[in-house]
Structures are given as C-alpha cells and as structure tokens.
Amino acid sequence: MKIERKILLNPGPATTTDSVKMAQVVPDICPREKEFAGMMKQLRDDLVRVAHGNLEKHTAVLFCGSGTINIDICLNSLLPEDKRVLIVNNGAYSTRAVEVCQYYGLPHINLEFSVYERPDLSVVENVLQENPDIAMVYTTHHETGTGILNPIREMGAIAHKYQAKFVVDTTSSLGMIPFDIEKDNVDFCMASAQKGLQAMTGLSFIIGNEEQIKFSKKYPKRSYYCNLYLQYENFERTGEMHFTPPVQTIYATRQALNEYFEVGEEAKFARHKRVFEAIHSGINEIGLKSVIKREWQSGLVVSVQYPEDPNWDFEKIHDYCYERGFTIYPGKISTEDTFRICALGEIEVDDIENFFKVLKAALNHYNVTLPMS
Ligand SMILES: *Cc1c(COP(=O)(O)O)cnc(C)c1O
C-alpha cells in the first residue's frame, strides 16, 4: 500500500514513517486481554528509558487524550491541599497551565515573563524564598509557540532547593532534544505520542517519580477521569488503563519506539538540528526574519515574522503550499504576526529545500516582494 507523503512543518502532529502508519492495522483485539497489557507494560518501561529514568524509581502512566490532558492531570493530581503552584510562564503553553489552575480553583502564582525571553531565574528564586507554601514549580521546556528552550536544569535545582516538586511540560521536546529526568532535576515530565516519538494522536503519558505518585494518594481528588494516582494504581493492579485505551495508537507507538531506539537519541537530535539549520538558511535566503534570539531557540521551531508587503496573506500562502504537500502553521504570539516552520517529524534537509522552492513560487504567485527575492 502506497501512502502519499505529506511534509508537516506544523508543531505536531508530525510526519510519520509508513511503518508506523501501517502498525495501526492489526487484528481486532479486546484491550483487556493479557497480550495487550503486556505490550503496555513494555511501552511504559520504554518511555521511562526515553527520559533516561531509572525503573526502580520512575514510572510512566498512559492516558487516552491529547497532550493537554497531561497538563491537567499533573496540576490537579500533584498539588497537596493548601499549597500553591508556581507557574514560570513565558508562553502560550504555560499560560494553558495557568488556565487549568483557574478552572480547578488551584492556588497558584502566575509568574509572567516576556514571551520573547527566557525567564529570569533570580526572580524565580526570590518568589520561592518569599512563599514557603509553594509545593510545585511548573514550566514548559520548549515553548512551542515561540520556539524558546527554557533552562529547566537550573530551574529544577532552584525548585528542589526550596523543597518544591518540579513538573515540566516536555511535550514538544521529549524524544527530540536529549533529556535526562534525573540530571535535569525533573520530578515529572510529559508528552504525547504524535510529537517527538513520531507516532499517532490519542496517547499521552506522564513520566515521573513513583514514590511521589504513591504519596499523592492523600491529595485531594479533583477529577474523576484525569487523576494520576488512580490511573497509576489501576495499571499496577491490573496492567490496564482504567478506561478504554486508544488501541491502534498504542500499536503505532510501539512501532515508533522501536524505530526511535534503532536510530538513537543523538542521531535523531542531529537530524532535527540539520533540518532546523536548513529552515534558517531558507528564510535567510529569501529575506524572512525569525523573531527569537538564535541562542535561545530550541532547534525545533522557527517563528517567522510576516513580511511587510501588503500582498502577503498567510492563508493564501498556506493553501498554495498545502496543495503541494507542505503544511505551515500560524504563530502563537498575540502581540506580533508570525507563522511557524518546524523541524519535528520524519523529515530531512531535502524536504526543507523542496519546501522553500514551493514557498518562493507561492510568494511570486501572489506578488509578495521580500528584501532579497
Ligand atoms: C503540543 C503541545 C501540547 C499539547 O497540545 P494538544 O493540542 O493537547 O496535543 C502541550 N504542550 C506543549 C508544549 C505542546 O507543544
């Protein structure tokens, strides 16, 4: 079976291999069978390995849902009664965590920084010093809205100095940028299958400290469906998800993990970096500008300023590229008009070169003039 190849330059879901796509086509199975439970156990252990966790200390808990379910679950499940969470917020995804706190009525501090910059860690430390009731520090590793990579290792060390848990949204970095849960001072990280692992949508997972999950049994239960301890306890007791898992997505994730370990963390990271460099070369060549300081960029997402030409219309350019197999995505910076070109997924430098040929043709077609075109 030949599946048409599409180049997704949006920030996830990502372009997948055909072998991952085809892994979803399996004989019908009831997920309550031992065979399926055995596969999930192996999958959970392998996810801990992706984060370089220690199977004696760390565990992975699976959920059926998109990545946002992890943000919801970590915040509502891991905060003790009468304690506060400090959200170190320099972008759209940490703002989402603030909204989760608002919806659950969780006591929180929204420590906002410019979306164009990395957070100032001395300010983070001051807030922790002045507020001993902070039990959790939460941030986003790679702010997918801008492409900024945050200094989690240093932030985690500060959180731990004040006896706070450190919970990090690693949805758009895990499996792409080398990460070590222990060395990076992280207690809980999270992702979903369709980003770094290049699998399908519908499966999300939280990887973290097993003792802390057990301890959270005593914390207030704020959600029935989205509680970390309840799902963990169910997995440990029965080997199964509490409710119906996304069966075919789990088969695809199994295949994606095999391919991930075959390639290896460093080689995969090197490929993403090559693609990222090719994106920068492409935008430089036609005179487009990225908005984030280069040394703060993750290497996975480039936020590009809209050209000033009045003939520029993102929708039209998007459609022109889309019809030719390339998907670009609007930006997520409320104060500035940007779009994003991302290096996630199973793509290579020649895909980016082909994309820029199409983009140039689109700009010509709509008479958009750029400084260098
Ligand atoms: C993609 C992403 C999420 C999850 O978004 P969903 O739309 O729920 O899949 C969460 N955090 C970050 C940083 C992301 O990039």
Side-chain angles (χ1 to χ4, degrees), residues 33-51:
E33 291 300 326
K34 277 198 228 48
E35 181 189 339
F36 198 78
M39 185 174 62
M40 284 200 288
K41 174 75 183 109
Q42 184 65 41
L43 195 84
R44 291 175 62 204
D45 289 353
D46 279 345
L47 289 169
V48 171
R49 291 184 186 102
V50 170

Side-chain angles (χ1 to χ4, degrees), residues 142-208:
H142 168 213
E143 260 297 350
T144 329
T146 53
I148 288 187
L149 195 69
N150 283 322
I152 53 168
R153 188 171 291 193
E154 297 77 8
M155 206 186 295
I158 296 170
H160 289 162
K161 183 171 159 192
Y162 295 89
Q163 283 80 46
K165 282 188 195 85
F166 190 43
V167 179
V168 184
D169 175 354
T170 52
T171 312
S172 62
S173 56
L174 194 72
M176 293 180 280
I177 298 173
F179 170 82
D180 184 314
I181 192 165
E182 199 91 59
K183 289 194 192 130
D184 284 320
N185 299 314
V186 169
D187 297 299
F188 291 92
C189 64
M190 59 186 85
S192 50
Q194 82 274 18
K195 292 212 175 168
L197 297 179
Q198 303 180 175
M200 297 297 152
T201 58
L203 178 72
S204 292
F205 42 87
I206 296 167
I207 305 164

Side-chain angles (χ1 to χ4, degrees), residues 83-319:
K83 296 286 186 188
R84 283 200 289 180
V85 50
L86 170 64
I87 311 231
V88 181
N89 179 359
N90 63 335
Y93 288 95
S94 288
T95 299
R96 193 173 291 180
V98 171
E99 285 169 7
V100 169
C101 291
Q102 289 165 347
Y103 273 51
Y104 283 106
L106 299 175
H108 65 283
I109 299 173
N110 176 15
L111 186 61
E112 279 188 89
F113 294 94
S114 161
V115 301
Y116 297 103
E117 287 170 23
R118 287 182 157 187
D120 180 342
L121 296 182
S122 65
V123 176
V124 173
E125 175 146 18
N126 283 342
V127 172
L128 277 161
Q129 216 160 22
E130 285 163 14
N131 298 279
D133 62 340
I134 294 171
M136 184 200 300
V137 175
Y138 178 103
T139 200
T140 305
H141 186 203
H142 168 213
E143 260 297 350
T144 329
T146 53
I148 288 187
L149 195 69
N150 283 322
I152 53 168
R153 188 171 291 193
E154 297 77 8
M155 206 186 295
I158 296 170
H160 289 162
K161 183 171 159 192
Y162 295 89
Q163 283 80 46
K165 282 188 195 85
F166 190 43
V167 179
V168 184
D169 175 354
T170 52
T171 312
S172 62
S173 56
L174 194 72
M176 293 180 280
I177 298 173
F179 170 82
D180 184 314
I181 192 165
E182 199 91 59
K183 289 194 192 130
D184 284 320
N185 299 314
V186 169
D187 297 299
F188 291 92
C189 64
M190 59 186 85
S192 50
Q194 82 274 18
K195 292 212 175 168
L197 297 179
Q198 303 180 175
M200 297 297 152
T201 58
L203 178 72
S204 292
F205 42 87
I206 296 167
I207 305 164
N209 185 302
E210 194 164 359
E211 277 309 304
Q212 290 187 23
I213 298 177
K214 287 183 187 158
F215 201 75
S216 74
K217 183 182 182 178
K218 299 190 203 121
Y219 298 170
K221 300 284 176 295
R222 301 169 176 108
S223 168
Y224 178 72
Y225 197 78
C226 297
N227 182 273
L228 183 58
Y229 177 77
L230 291 180
Q231 185 82 322
Y232 163 80
E233 192 275 333
N234 213 80
F235 263 119
E236 292 301 306
R237 191 164 38 82
T238 68
E240 293 171 9
M241 253 192 213
H242 200 170
F243 304 106
T244 309
V247 175
Q248 286 71 19
T249 296
I250 289 176
Y251 281 105
T253 308
R254 176 66 265 156
Q255 175 63 23
L257 276 167
N258 294 348
E259 293 177 16
Y260 175 85
F261 289 120
E262 228 165 83
V263 171
E265 182 179 55
E266 288 301 329
K268 187 166 184 290
F269 179 49
R271 177 172 61 76
H272 290 300
K273 275 199 298 199
R274 279 199 296 282
V275 170
F276 175 76
E277 292 302 329
I279 295 171
H280 272 287
S281 306
I283 64 168
N284 286 341
E285 196 200 316
I286 56 176
L288 287 167
K289 286 195 178 62
S290 72
V291 299
I292 301 296
K293 208 194 257 192
R294 185 64 182 265
E295 63 260 38
W296 291 343
Q297 292 183 25
S298 60
L300 298 169
V301 170
V302 184
S303 283
V304 184
Q305 238 162 14
Y306 277 4
E308 275 167 24
D309 190 316
N311 288 336
W312 166 267
D313 179 333
F314 178 79
E315 280 304 315
K316 285 185 182 158
I317 301 290
H318 165 275
D319 292 354

Side-chain angles (χ1 to χ4, degrees), residues 347-361:
I347 56 175
E348 254 298 356
V349 170
D350 57 344
D351 294 316
I352 299 300
E353 289 166 355
N354 292 334
F355 162 68
F356 276 100
K357 284 181 201 149
V358 170
L359 180 63
K360 274 188 227 169

